[in-house]
Amino acid sequence: NAGVMQNPRHLVRRRGQEARLRCSPMKGHSHVYWYRQLPEEGLKFMVYLQKENIIDESGMPKERFSAEFPKEGPSILRIQQVVRGDSAAYFCASSPRIEQGYEQYFGPGTRLTVT
Amino acid sequence: TQLLEQSPQFLSIQEGENLTVYCNSSSVFSSLQWYRQEPGEGPVLLVTVVTGGEVKKLKRLTFQFGDARKDSSLHITAAQPGDTGLYLCAGAVNSGYSTLTFGKGTMLLVSP
């Protein structure tokens, strides 16, 4: 009974490169959430997706960031032209049903370092 | 914007002591979750409380949701080194789909 899986666990990118973070939700979960955790700032919501749909992207920067959750395959958080300020831990969470959207199960995270 | 304030920010105690950490807000939440996060890992869901005044127990951990659903507390009895970690509270405004608002957490260190 695998939990939420994220890869890679660690990612190093130089300024200007692209970062792709992957998330496979728990089996049977069709709701995916992405969060960013900066030191001293706590977890901040970025985007909420269901299969093939972005439901809420109110927490995601308008430029350089995008997310998708295709019909087949993992959810992807994509950061183009990374800058040092993008260095953070990015967590994905999933939940089983809309009625229980508040019960979110987190993956181990991807730690992005921009040099 | 709903804000969750957690206190204390950091707590260092000896094994066997009791402790309480708090999560407060001026906003009303339909549910509140407590998570524990260890270094290098993702938050692990401990409990969800949904009813004002609700008390839930998980072994040595007791969680309480305030009557007005604006605050919560976590009490640990006879703390053990394995309890060490960052304790996060998170609130949901709506039942069903709702983004979670997280507090900054209480870092607990339990020394043997």
Side-chain angles (χ1 to χ4, degrees):
Chain A
N1 187 16
V4 177
M5 302 181 70
Q6 290 188 250
N7 68 80
R9 294 290 305 270
H10 300 274
L11 183 61
V12 180
R13 285 287 178 265
R14 283 197 285 271
R15 278 181 298 171
Q17 291 185 317
E18 179 180 286
R20 282 189 178 225
L21 288 61
R22 294 175 184 76
C23 169
S24 296
M26 285 180 72
K27 188 176 180 181
H29 288 195
S30 58
H31 304 266
V32 167
Y33 308 78
W34 284 93
Y35 292 82
R36 178 164 64 179
Q37 188 174 40
L38 290 164
E40 310 301 323
E41 286 194 20
L43 279 155
K44 301 291 186 187
F45 166 78
M46 297 181 73
V47 61
Y48 162 46
L49 309 102
Q50 295 179 23
K51 283 284 187 182
E52 300 185 274
N53 287 305
I54 296 175
I55 307 302
D56 183 346
E57 55 182 348
S58 60
M60 197 158 67
K62 295 287 186 285
E63 296 181 356
R64 303 188 298 108
F65 285 73
S66 61
E68 63 177 12
F69 190 15
K71 187 177 180 181
E72 301 290 337
S75 175
I76 307 276
L77 179 67
R78 183 181 176 205
I79 311 172
Q80 296 178 291
Q81 299 176 316
V82 296
V83 301
R84 288 221 172 103
D86 297 332
S87 295
Y90 291 83
F91 291 96
C92 164
S94 70
S95 63
R97 293 176 293 277
I98 190 70
E99 296 80 13
Q100 290 179 274
Y102 51 81
E103 288 208 346
Q104 297 179 19
Y105 298 86
F106 283 77
T110 294
R111 274 125 191 104
L112 173 65
T113 301
V114 179
T115 61
Chain B
T1 303
Q2 299 83 27
L3 291 176
L4 280 167
E5 300 285 340
Q6 289 192 245
S7 61
Q9 290 184 334
F10 183 78
L11 189 56
S12 180
I13 61 172
Q14 294 294 122
E15 183 176 2
E17 291 184 32
N18 301 333
L19 67 116
T20 302
V21 298
Y22 300 93
C23 176
N24 296 293
S25 177
S26 58
S27 300
V28 175
F29 293 96
S30 63
S31 69
L32 198 138
Q33 287 68 242
W34 283 93
Y35 291 82
R36 187 174 81 194
Q37 185 179 20
E38 298 187 16
E41 298 296 329
V44 174
L45 180 64
L46 297 174
V47 78
T48 297
V49 285
V50 295
T51 305
E54 182 177 3
V55 176
K56 280 192 174 178
K57 293 194 175 186
L58 185 66
K59 296 183 181 178
R60 294 176 293 100
L61 278 60
T62 301
F63 305 86
Q64 184 162 10
F65 201 12
D67 290 340
R69 290 185 288 131
K70 293 182 178 181
D71 54 84
S72 181
S73 64
L74 159 59
H75 182 79
I76 301 179
T77 303
Q80 299 177 1
D83 296 327
T84 292
L86 179 67
Y87 288 82
L88 296 163
C89 67
V93 173
N94 302 310
S95 57
Y97 156 56
S98 181
T99 61
L100 290 181
T101 298
F102 278 84
K104 292 185 180 181
T106 292
M107 183 64 218
L108 172 65
L109 175 63
V110 183
S111 302

